[in-house]
């Protein structure tokens, strides 16, 4: 087999319209220990230290300030040489209109979500501490991201980040009946376990952050709105999506409170540790924390059918993360049995569409049901459940038969008999959290005996009466790994139920409540980075190469490939790998790196009908990282002008276009509600071109429509994005 290999500068114009791909390749962070062993033998160990971040440090800076260490966690102070994780916990904008465009600014149900502008939540990075001076932490490497800390006002939403000390071990073991956990998120710190193991992590017990995430809306007993109540423009109505709580307006004594999310914290929240409803000092959400609109990934509270009495109790919506939360059940119908009389249970929170190895969040809190028959000692039964927290672990290899748990909690539900009788609505379940468990080497991971669960919590039942709102189920969480667990659970939580027909009827009536949807399992093909990407020369930064494009096209029965790089430091070689099935790869060619060359080309002279290529980039110290796979299929469409494949798509999408001349393409993808979710432009030469459509891995599993337009093309194709 004779192949042509070139290493030279090459005009990019030759490859206009080819299969473009951009990817930042990362190295691992920090200096691990070289010996030693630590064993955890008792339950509920907290090994991380937590600090609330202060100020607004910007990318490129090398320091930030923090509040005193959270006494609920490990109190080992951050010191020089320590590894830390910096994580933006809250920071999202949303539309707060009193309409069905609440949340995502898209008209029509569901009234939930957030907008893309000023979305900071979920960013994180590792860094190494150079020194500590009082409350100031100085880092060896520049920050990769901006971080924001801001208190709530009537016009500004909450923003919070935290700094977490990450203990480093050589060998680490959690014995049976032992566990590692975190303090629950309290609006400033907690909710995250981060562990770094240089060699073997033996897990026989548990890593457990169940119910440690964003807090559920707290159940409150309200007798009904009084004179002076307001939704901002008039008196409260039974279709309002949001209004201020009595914390801001004492006359607004109606409805259920929203859960906590990446966009804010409500005026009342559920403290699962003490089984109480806690009243905050501020409203927590712009334009109000009450009502059935769902803020970001939190469930909405119930909007009562009659605000003046608050007696037609509707259920709370479920929190979200990888999957959407379920809708809360309807309000009392006066005995008609009709769930459509007051169908204003809280909407479910919206999934976090940006979830990836580079960005993730905790599970959203469920919304509370509305209540008028409770008393202070039992009103919390109407609360929403808490979301699951975050587990962030890397090790060389794993062993054992233990479990990692980040489930959202079930809402308490209104199920106990009290005097006076508690005949109120239930809250929504908490969203499942996020589990990231990866290795620092290729090959065996050792995860085959370990169980991972980030399921959504169930909505609360309402069994003390009939036809009162049960809660919606929490959405499933996110699991990210480069291995395969014994089992992985990202199921959405079930909706709650109420009785049918009478106060002794069967408990089988969902009464408008719905379950949460399943979360997302992201399977990685190689050990991923958990990094600081801001300093290319640092061991906390990027592997010293940026792959700016990786392209392929048919050229007279030959496949021409090209890739371009920048930031080349300590790179050793490229290995181009080939497959004819996209699964089994072998080395096609090895090209040495040259410091004066930024563009590399290679011609595969004997391709098959279907061809798959990937680049293995090898550093001088032996570390290596893979690009995504390029797919080139000769005459896949015959005479058809436009083809998209694979379909269903999961992480990558290829657009094949045949043109008679050079043209500019306009490619748009719409979701099943008609909302534009992706918009790309390309210039292609004449002939058979392949274009990689980036961003497919950010889209939720669903049905979509792809439109392709140019001077000569006006095509519409259906696309299915499958569950990952």
């Amino acid at each position: 087999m004779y192949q042509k290999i070139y290493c030279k500068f090459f005009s990019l114009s030759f490859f206009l319209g080819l299969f473009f791909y951009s990817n930042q390749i990362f190295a691992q962070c920090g200096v691990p220990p070289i010996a030693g062993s630590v064993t955890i033998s008792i339950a509920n160990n907290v090994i991380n230290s937590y600090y609330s971040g202060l100020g607004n440090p910007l990318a490129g800076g090398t320091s930030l300030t923090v509040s005193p260490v959270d006494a609920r966690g490990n109190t080992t102070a951050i010191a020089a040489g320590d590894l830390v994780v910096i994580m933006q916990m809250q920071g999202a904008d949303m539309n707060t209109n009193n309409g069905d465009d609440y949340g995502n600014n898209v008209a029509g149900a569901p009234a939930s979500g957030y907008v893309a502008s000023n979305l900071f939540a979920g960013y994180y990075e590792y860094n190494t501490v150079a020194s500590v001076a009082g409350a100031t932490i100085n880092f060896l490497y520049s920050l990769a991201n901006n971080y924001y800390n801001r208190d709530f006002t009537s016009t500004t939403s909450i923003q919070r980040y935290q700094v977490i000390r990450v203990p480093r071990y050589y060998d680490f073991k959690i014995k049976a009946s032992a566990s590692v956990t975190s303090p629950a998120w309290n609006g400033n710190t907690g909710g995250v376990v981060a562990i770094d193991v240089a060699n073997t992590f033996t897990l026989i017990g548990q890593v457990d952050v169940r119910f440690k995430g964003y807090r559920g809306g707290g159940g409150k007993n309200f007798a009904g709105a009084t004179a002076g109540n307001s939704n901002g423009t008039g008196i409260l109505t039974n279709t309002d999506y949001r209004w201020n709580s009595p914390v801001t307006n004492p006359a607004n004594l109606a409805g259920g409170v929203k859960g906590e999310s990446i966009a804010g914290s409500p005026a009342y929240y559920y403290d699962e540790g003490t089984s109480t409803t806690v009243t905050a000092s501020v409203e927590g959400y712009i334009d109000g924390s009450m009502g059935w609109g769902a803020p970001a990934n939190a469930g909405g509270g119930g909007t009562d059918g009659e605000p003046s009495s608050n007696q037609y109790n509707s259920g709370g919506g479920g929190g979200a993360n990888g999957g959407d939360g379920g809708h809360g059940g309807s309000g009392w119908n006066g005995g008609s049995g009709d769930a459509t009389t007051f169908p204003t249970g809280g909407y479910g929170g919206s999934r976090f569409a940006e979830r990836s190895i580079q960005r993730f969040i905790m599970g959203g809190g469920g919304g509370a049901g509305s209540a008028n028959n409770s008393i202070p000692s039992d009103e919390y039964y109407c609360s929403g459940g808490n979301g699951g927290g975050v587990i962030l672990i890397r090790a060389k290899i794993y062993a054992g038969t233990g479990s990692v748990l980040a489930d959202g909690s079930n809402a308490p539900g209104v199920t106990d008999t009290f005097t006076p009788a508690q005949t109120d609505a239930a809250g929504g379940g908490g969203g499942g959290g996020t589990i990231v468990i990866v290795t620092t080497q290729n090959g065996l991971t050792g995860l085959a005996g370990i169980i991972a669960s980030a399921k959504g919590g169930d909505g609360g039942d309402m069994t003390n009466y009939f036809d009162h709102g049960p809660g919606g189920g929490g959405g499933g969480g996110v699991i990210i790994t480069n291995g395969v667990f014994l089992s992985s659970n990202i199921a959405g939580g079930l909706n709650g139920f109420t009785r049918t027909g009478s106060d002794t009827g069967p408990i089988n009536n969902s009464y408008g409540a719905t379950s949460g949807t399943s979360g997302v399992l992201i399977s990685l093909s190689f050990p991923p980075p958990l990094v600081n990407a801001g300093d290319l020369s640092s061991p906390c930064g990027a592997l010293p190469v940026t792959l700016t494009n990786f392209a392929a096209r048919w050229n007279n029965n030959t496949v021409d490939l090209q890739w371009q790089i920048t930031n080349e430091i300590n790179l050793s070689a490229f290995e181009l790998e080939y497959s004819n099935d996209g699964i089994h790869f072998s080395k096609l060619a090895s090209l040495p790196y040259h410091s004066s060359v930024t563009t590399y080309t290679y011609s595969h002279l004997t391709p098959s009908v279907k061809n798959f290529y990937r680049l293995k980039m090898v550093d001088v110290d032996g570390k290596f990282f893979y690009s995504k796979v390029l797919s080139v299929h000769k005459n896949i469409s015959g005479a058809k002008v436009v083809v998209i494949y694979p379909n269903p798509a999961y992480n990558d999408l290829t657009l094949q276009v045949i043109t008679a001349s050079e043209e500019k393409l306009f490619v748009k993808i719409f979701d099943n509600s008609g909302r534009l979710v992706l918009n790309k432009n390309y210039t292609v030469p004449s002939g058979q071109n392949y274009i990689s459509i980036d961003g497919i891995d950010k889209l939720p599993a669903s049905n979509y429509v792809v439109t392709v337009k140019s001077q000569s093309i006006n095509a519409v194709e259906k696309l299915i994005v499958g569950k990952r």
Side-chain angles (χ1 to χ4, degrees):
M1 182 188 301
Y2 173 72
Q3 311 294 339
K4 294 186 291 184
I5 300 176
Y6 305 90
C7 272
K8 63 180 183 178
F9 291 100
F10 197 83
S11 172
L12 181 61
S13 63
F14 177 83
F15 276 86
L16 280 176
L18 304 187
F19 199 154
F20 290 116
Y21 170 67
S22 178
N23 185 32
Q24 180 75 56
I25 308 299
F26 298 108
Q28 298 295 333
C29 169
V31 180
I34 59 174
S37 179
V38 171
T39 298
I40 302 297
S41 302
I42 61 175
N44 299 317
N45 274 266
V46 179
I47 62 176
N48 298 110
S49 305
Y50 304 85
Y51 297 79
S52 179
L54 301 176
N56 301 301
L58 301 180
T62 56
S63 66
L64 54 77
T65 58
V66 294
S67 295
V69 65
D70 184 348
R72 302 174 305 152
N74 193 299
T75 56
T76 301
I78 289 176
D82 281 347
L83 181 69
V84 298
V85 164
I86 310 162
M87 189 174 295
Q88 187 75 46
M89 307 302 293
Q90 290 178 298
D93 282 355
M94 61 181 191
N95 178 14
T96 62
N97 289 344
N98 190 20
D100 61 11
D101 58 351
Y102 181 90
N104 62 5
N105 198 33
V106 177
S112 65
Y114 53 92
V115 296
S117 59
N118 298 321
L119 178 61
F120 307 124
Y123 283 120
Y124 76 100
E125 63 189 84
Y126 281 60
N127 213 320
T128 303
V129 177
S131 63
V132 179
T136 300
I137 301 174
N138 300 302
F139 299 110
L140 287 178
Y141 313 111
S142 58
L143 296 175
N145 304 304
N146 298 336
Y147 293 96
Y148 301 94
N149 177 65
R150 183 173 69 186
D151 291 337
F152 170 82
T153 71
S154 60
T155 58
T156 59
S157 60
I158 294 170
Q159 296 173 347
R160 292 284 186 264
Y161 73 95
Q162 64 175 323
V163 180
I164 304 168
R165 180 182 180 273
V166 182
R168 308 202 74 177
Y169 308 103
Y170 182 72
D171 286 323
F172 184 66
K173 181 178 182 180
I174 302 177
K175 297 176 67 175
S177 301
S179 63
V180 168
T181 188
S182 73
W185 169 253
N186 66 359
N188 291 290
T189 55
V192 179
V193 167
I195 306 173
D196 198 85
V197 181
N199 193 40
T200 303
F201 183 176
T202 303
L203 178 60
I204 303 174
Q206 296 179 340
V207 180
D208 186 359
V209 293
R210 289 175 295 177
F211 327 149
K212 305 290 188 180
Y214 301 115
R215 297 164 292 185
K220 289 294 292 182
N221 181 66
F222 294 136
T226 60
N229 71 81
S230 173
N231 61 19
T233 58
I235 63 171
L236 296 181
T237 73
N238 62 15
T239 58
D240 283 332
Y241 292 83
R242 81 328 174 239
W243 62 90
N244 284 324
S245 74
V247 168
T248 299
N249 183 348
N252 284 359
L253 295 166
V257 70
K258 307 174 190 296
E260 186 177 35
S261 73
I262 59 174
S265 302
Y268 308 101
Y269 59 87
Y270 176 47
D271 184 351
E272 185 158 318
T274 62
S275 295
T276 58
T277 291
V278 178
T279 301
S281 59
V282 296
E283 189 66 35
Y285 283 113
I286 296 173
D287 290 327
S289 55
M290 309 297 292
W292 64 325
N297 64 314
T303 292
D304 197 83
E306 187 178 90
S308 62
S309 65
N310 206 44
Q311 65 177 328
Y312 294 92
N313 309 128
S314 54
N321 183 4
D324 296 322
H327 200 290
S330 299
W332 168 245
N333 52 50
S336 68
D338 186 358
T340 66
T341 304
F342 295 118
T344 52
Y347 280 107
S350 289
R351 69 189 69 182
F352 187 62
E354 291 74 15
R355 73 263 176 173
S356 70
I357 188 62
Q358 300 296 335
R359 196 173 187 183
F360 41 78
I361 62 170
M362 304 187 296
S370 64
N372 71 308
N373 294 121
S374 306
I375 57 177
S377 63
D378 62 32
E379 63 185 3
Y380 76 89
Y381 283 95
C382 303
S383 299
N386 293 343
V390 169
I391 294 173
L392 179 57
I393 304 175
R394 63 179 183 177
K396 182 178 181 181
I397 195 168
Y398 297 85
T401 56
S403 55
V404 284
L405 307 172
D407 302 336
S409 69
N410 300 337
V414 182
T415 58
D416 291 326
T417 301
F418 297 101
T419 302
Q422 187 182 17
T423 53
D424 297 318
T434 296
I435 297 172
V436 180
I437 296 189
V438 297
T439 64
T440 55
Q441 66 171 6
N442 283 294
L444 294 175
T445 63
L447 292 171
I450 294 172
I451 294 171
S453 181
K455 64 182 180 179
D458 294 342
D461 292 332
M462 196 293 174
T463 64
N464 289 356
Y465 206 60
F466 67 104
D467 292 0
H468 281 55
V478 175
I479 298 176
I480 304 173
T481 183
N482 65 312
V484 178
F485 292 103
L486 177 64
S487 65
S488 301
N489 191 346
I490 48 172
L494 300 176
N495 56 265
F497 292 91
T498 187
R499 295 184 185 273
T500 298
S502 72
D503 57 3
T504 59
I507 306 169
N508 62 0
N509 190 356
S510 61
Y511 198 56
T514 61
S515 297
T517 63
S518 296
V520 175
L521 173 62
I522 300 176
S523 297
L524 307 173
S525 60
F526 57 87
L530 302 175
V531 299
N532 173 343
D535 188 336
L536 299 179
S537 66
S538 101
C540 272
L543 178 74
V545 58
T546 300
L547 186 65
T548 56
N549 78 67
F550 185 22
R553 70 170 295 176
W554 280 100
N555 183 19
N556 294 325
N557 294 318
T558 297
V559 175
D560 291 330
L561 297 108
Q562 175 189 294
W563 58 97
Q564 289 185 312
I565 62 171
T566 60
N567 301 322
E568 322 83 17
I569 305 171
N570 298 325
L571 190 63
S572 173
F574 302 97
E575 293 182 3
L576 183 63
E577 296 186 350
Y578 170 75
S579 170
N580 58 17
D581 62 8
I583 301 173
H584 303 94
F585 283 83
S586 59
K587 185 166 69 173
L588 184 63
S590 181
L591 284 73
Y593 162 72
H594 295 283
S595 59
S596 60
V597 178
T598 59
T599 300
Y600 296 77
T601 63
Y602 178 87
S603 291
H604 186 193
L605 299 181
T606 57
S608 302
V609 174
K610 295 184 178 181
N611 304 274
F612 303 86
Y613 303 91
R614 69 183 183 187
L615 275 177
K616 181 179 180 180
M617 288 154 284
V618 185
D619 203 356
V620 291
D621 63 0
K623 294 186 176 72
F624 59 90
F625 301 87
Y626 284 104
S627 71
K628 287 186 177 180
V629 174
L630 295 183
S631 175
V632 181
H633 299 180
K634 183 178 181 180
N635 296 325
I636 187 172
S637 61
K640 192 172 182 181
V641 173
V642 174
V643 175
I644 55 174
Y645 65 93
N647 197 359
Y650 294 90
N651 295 304
D652 304 301
L653 183 68
T654 297
L655 170 65
Q656 178 186 283
V657 181
I658 300 175
T659 58
S661 60
E662 181 175 302
E663 296 187 35
K664 188 169 185 178
L665 295 178
F666 299 89
V667 181
K668 297 182 179 181
I669 300 180
F670 300 87
D671 66 14
N672 55 18
S673 68
R675 180 168 63 100
L676 179 66
V677 295
L678 195 145
N679 189 1
K680 302 282 187 179
N681 299 330
Y682 306 92
T683 300
V684 297
S686 62
Q688 185 168 303
N689 300 282
Y690 299 87
I691 303 170
S692 173
I693 308 297
D694 293 331
I696 298 302
D697 55 343
K698 303 294 194 302
L699 297 179
S702 187
N703 297 324
Y704 296 85
V705 173
V706 181
T707 66
V708 182
K709 295 183 179 181
S710 72
Q711 182 178 351
S712 62
I713 298 172
N714 187 4
V716 178
E717 299 287 336
K718 293 181 180 179
L719 169 67
I720 300 172
V721 174
K723 293 182 179 179
R724 301 169 180 88

